[in-house]
């Protein structure tokens, strides 16, 4: 008999009743160091006082009015995102998949409005993940996720991530845009190098295409800068956000240059819940914290410390961990053992992580951790690796 909650997830047999900072407490009373962060979503940990107070205050004033009316907190958040990015304008959605769907529409509409109606193709990368809707599954590169879901939306080509020769060969008079994650999350913490991102910008300009960066997982301070593209000094035409944007509250966003958004007019796109007062209040509160002086520098520094210690652990346990990847607090362990096995044993020892493609284990702690939490996690990883060596 089917479960009342549709069985689309392979759930782990743990339930949590509360969270506090980087810790989660199960219904059985166990404490876990949460370095999965709801898959990079609880960017400020659990029950952050500023987010809790903001949500309480907003919940007593206004939840939803639709986008028929002005939403002052939406305007305030858009102003702040524009002021701190390449973008000139923002559309608010509910999720990352919805943001990526909107970004693809914006790119195709831009080309259509300028008379290049044949430019509908989006060039994407292998190992990419852009969401679970039918269209974003086509933009992504996981055949398992697509199987059984009927005709595949057309207009997507895939080339090897990091390979500019393949990228340029795929581009032509039908290309509307390039869609790339500066750091692939679900794909296995694959980091695009600076020269690759610069070459993408150059190719997009050369072929009259737009450049879309999916920063749904790597954005919002995860790498030690507000946006991952800042490390390369390369600006996209469109960027998508979600996950850390709401610190655990469902919200997504599409940031675009004025040029890229020039085809978007009233009626061309919309969302019932996107940008509602609750989501906007919380996202503004998240931004309050992320923009505090020194926070992003601390993320970068902690990321360096963490990776250095993990590289040392990997060197001591080469039969368990082959490589440490990533940037800032977006870290991947390429496993020699199965990533699911390592993830399970870390969980038994009190550390939560999340798997990724390519037998990689993702470590995505909240951005509010300090060195004591890094030390606690490394002690657990060291002990678990030693146990797996002995086994």
């Amino acid at each position: 008999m089917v479960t009342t909650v549709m069985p689309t997830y392979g759930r782990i047999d743990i339930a949590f009743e509360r969270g506090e900072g980087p810790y989660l407490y199960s219904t059985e009373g166990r404490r876990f160091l949460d370095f999965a962060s709801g898959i990079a979503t609880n960017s400020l940990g659990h029950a952050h006082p500023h987010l809790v107070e903001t949500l309480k205050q907003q919940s007593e004033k206004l939840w939803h009015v639709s986008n028929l009316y002005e939403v002052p907190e939406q305007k305030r958040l858009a102003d702040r995102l524009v002021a701190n990015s390449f973008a000139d304008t923002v559309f608010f959605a509910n999720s990352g998949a919805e943001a990526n769907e909107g970004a693809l529409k914006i790119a195709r509409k831009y080309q259509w409005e300028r008379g290049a109606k044949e430019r509908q193709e989006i060039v994407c990368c292998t190992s990419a993940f852009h969401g679970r809707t039918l269209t974003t599954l086509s933009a992504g590169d996981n055949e398992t996720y697509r199987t059984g879901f009927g005709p595949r939306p057309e207009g997507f080509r895939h080339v090897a991530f990091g390979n500019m020769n393949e990228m340029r060969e795929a581009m032509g008079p039908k290309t509307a845009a390039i869609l790339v994650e500066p750091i692939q999350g679900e794909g296995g913490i694959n980091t695009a190098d600076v020269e690759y991102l610069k070459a993408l910008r150059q190719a997009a300009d050369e072929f009259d295409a737009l450049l879309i960066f999916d920063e749904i997982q790597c954005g919002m301070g995860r790498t030690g800068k507000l946006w991952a593209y800042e490390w390369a000094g390369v600006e996209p035409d469109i960027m998508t956000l979600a996950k850390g944007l709401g610190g655990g509250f469902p919200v997504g966003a599409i940031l675009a240059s004025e040029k890229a958004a020039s085809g978007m007019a009233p009626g061309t796109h919309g969302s019932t819940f996107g940008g509602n007062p609750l989501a906007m209040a919380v996202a503004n509160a998240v931004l309050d914290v992320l923009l505090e002086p020194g926070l992003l520098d601390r993320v970068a520094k902690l990321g360096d410390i963490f990776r250095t210690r993990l590289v040392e652990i990997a060197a001591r346990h080469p039969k368990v961990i082959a490589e440490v990847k990533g940037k800032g607090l977006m870290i991947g362990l390429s496993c020699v053992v199965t990533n699911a096995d390592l993830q399970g044993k870390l969980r038994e020892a009190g550390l939560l992580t999340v798997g990724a493609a390519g037998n990689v284990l993702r470590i995505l702690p909240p951005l509010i951790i300090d060195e004591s939490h890094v030390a606690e996690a490394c002690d657990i990883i060291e002990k678990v690796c030693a146990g797996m060596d002995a086994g």
Side-chain angles (χ1 to χ4, degrees), residues 19-178:
E20 183 178 335
Y23 295 101
L24 276 171
Y25 296 83
S26 74
T27 52
E28 296 179 342
R30 281 201 66 191
R31 188 179 80 160
F32 295 83
L33 186 58
D34 182 12
F35 275 23
S37 299
I39 315 180
T41 299
N42 297 94
S43 54
L44 302 182
H46 299 279
H48 190 286
H50 184 51
L51 272 59
V52 170
E53 185 57 32
T54 298
L55 188 58
K56 281 182 179 177
Q57 290 183 12
Q58 186 61 46
S59 70
E60 293 172 352
K61 292 192 296 185
L62 195 62
W63 290 24
H64 181 77
V65 294
S66 86
N67 284 297
L68 292 172
Y69 311 102
E70 296 290 337
V71 181
E73 280 291 293
Q74 193 179 114
K75 171 71 165 57
R76 178 170 173 255
L77 181 59
D79 287 347
R80 299 173 81 195
L81 291 172
V82 164
N84 288 281
S85 75
F86 73 96
D88 301 306
T89 188
V90 183
F91 178 90
F92 291 107
N94 302 290
S95 69
E98 188 184 336
N100 276 333
E101 287 265 1
L104 297 171
K105 288 179 67 177
I106 290 170
R108 287 176 173 172
K109 192 67 160 52
Y110 161 77
Q111 300 288 4
W112 194 88
E113 288 289 341
R114 76 184 190 94
K117 297 181 181 179
E118 72 284 359
R119 288 186 175 271
Q120 298 176 0
E121 284 189 351
I122 311 295
V123 185
C124 309
C125 287
T126 53
S127 300
F129 180 80
H130 298 295
R132 297 272 194 165
T133 64
L134 285 173
T135 303
T136 54
L137 283 176
S138 277
D141 181 42
N142 189 321
E143 199 57 43
T144 302
Y145 292 163
R146 300 174 186 142
T147 301
F149 292 107
R152 179 178 167 183
E154 298 178 349
F156 298 93
R157 302 185 68 176
H158 288 82
V159 298
F161 181 72
N163 188 322
M164 277 310 300
N165 290 332
E166 288 193 19
M167 176 62 71
R168 294 180 69 87
E169 286 179 6
M171 298 182 72
K174 293 184 178 179
T175 305
I178 297 169

Side-chain angles (χ1 to χ4, degrees), residues 350-391:
L351 178 66
L352 301 178
T353 57
V354 58
N359 203 30
V360 169
L361 195 64
R362 278 178 285 182
I363 300 178
L364 305 164
L367 309 184
I368 46 85
I369 60 168
D370 58 35
E371 287 193 46
S372 71
H373 302 114
V374 171
E376 182 179 350
C378 287
D379 288 346
I380 293 172
I381 295 169
E382 178 84 55
K383 290 177 183 174
V384 166
C385 287
M388 295 181 84
D389 275 342

Side-chain angles (χ1 to χ4, degrees), residues 240-253:
T240 52
L241 303 175
K243 291 189 178 292
L245 177 62
F249 197 95
V251 58

Side-chain angles (χ1 to χ4, degrees), residues 220-257:
M220 295 305 293
R222 176 58 55 185
T223 67
K225 289 188 181 294
L226 195 55
W227 320 118
Y229 73 72
E230 293 181 85
W231 292 102
V234 172
E235 295 184 343
D237 301 294
I238 301 172
M239 179 171 71
T240 52
L241 303 175
K243 291 189 178 292
L245 177 62
F249 197 95
V251 58
I254 310 162
L255 280 63
S257 66

Side-chain angles (χ1 to χ4, degrees), residues 179-261:
L179 172 59
V180 170
E181 299 157 274
I183 302 178
Q184 293 184 329
E186 179 152 333
I189 310 294
N190 304 315
T191 304
D193 64 38
V194 169
E195 293 309 315
Y196 179 57
L197 294 179
K198 287 181 178 177
L200 288 176
R201 178 70 273 174
Q202 185 178 2
D205 294 340
E206 184 180 331
F207 286 90
D208 289 328
L210 296 179
L211 180 60
I212 306 171
F213 283 162
D214 176 341
E215 293 221 10
I216 286 166
Q217 189 164 148
C218 64
M220 295 305 293
R222 176 58 55 185
T223 67
K225 289 188 181 294
L226 195 55
W227 320 118
Y229 73 72
E230 293 181 85
W231 292 102
V234 172
E235 295 184 343
D237 301 294
I238 301 172
M239 179 171 71
T240 52
L241 303 175
K243 291 189 178 292
L245 177 62
F249 197 95
V251 58
I254 310 162
L255 280 63
S257 66
E258 184 170 7
K259 168 189 158 183

